[in-house]
Amino acid sequence: MGSSASSQKPDTTQETDNINYSSISDEEWRKRLNDDQFYIARKKGTERAFTGEYWNTKTPGTYHCICCDTPLFESTTKFDSGTGWPSYYQPIGNNVKSKLDLSIIIMPRQEVVCAVCDAHLGHVFDDGPPPTGKRYCINSASLKLKPK
């Protein structure tokens, strides 16, 4: 499920090849991010439904990773899922990858992360609209909107 392929290089517009994000310590991430961003993006947390900055935003633009600035989703793929989280039916290229999340043993899910820095974004489900049928349910705290 999702855009998971370890051999594919992310489709970024930033120069991220110079930074080894896996070597950044929690202490350094805490300096770069606010408490909510750190808890969600680096510790796999979840914000409460209907509380995130972008759950109901209609501003045209591109949503980037809060940690490394990789472009993740275009506003044209955002839709109202009724869940209280920003939802998209398609990421930008290979910039998002998915992996099995067994943190809730009775409810296996597909976690979605930034392909560049491994920031936790949210989860992807198979109940989205055409053309993909996917619902990328994403935490606002993991995103930064760059308006057009």
Side-chain angles (χ1 to χ4, degrees), residues 78-91:
K78 190 172 191 271
F79 68 98
D80 183 1
S81 65
T83 62
W85 287 279
S87 297
Y88 309 85
Y89 61 79
Q90 180 175 307

Side-chain angles (χ1 to χ4, degrees), residues 47-59:
E47 62 200 10
R48 288 190 333 259
F50 304 102
T51 63
E53 180 178 2
Y54 302 124
W55 78 268
N56 199 28
T57 299
K58 309 274 190 271
T59 305

Side-chain angles (χ1 to χ4, degrees), residues 10 12 16-17 19 21-22 68 70 95 97 113-119:
T12 63
T16 56
D17 293 342
I19 301 171
Y21 288 99
S22 64
C68 70
T70 296
N95 294 353
K97 62 184 180 179
V113 298
C114 174
V116 173
C117 71
D118 210 36

Side-chain angles (χ1 to χ4, degrees), residues 72-136:
L72 303 173
F73 300 96
E74 292 291 345
S75 60
T76 55
T77 66
K78 190 172 191 271
F79 68 98
D80 183 1
S81 65
T83 62
W85 287 279
S87 297
Y88 309 85
Y89 61 79
Q90 180 175 307
I92 295 173
N94 297 314
N95 294 353
V96 171
K97 62 184 180 179
S98 67
K99 54 188 174 183
L100 186 60
D101 175 1
L102 296 173
S103 61
I104 302 174
I105 210 68
I106 60 170
M107 191 174 82
R109 303 176 290 176
Q110 286 292 317
E111 176 190 14
V112 288
V113 298
C114 174
V116 173
C117 71
D118 210 36
H120 172 74
L121 304 173
H123 293 87
V124 62
F125 302 94
D126 290 324
D127 60 1
T132 65
K134 300 290 185 192
R135 173 174 52 97
Y136 289 83

Side-chain angles (χ1 to χ4, degrees), residues 16-28:
T16 56
D17 293 342
N18 309 3
I19 301 171
N20 179 1
Y21 288 99
S22 64
S23 70
I24 297 176
S25 68
D26 279 356
E27 183 178 321
E28 181 59 31

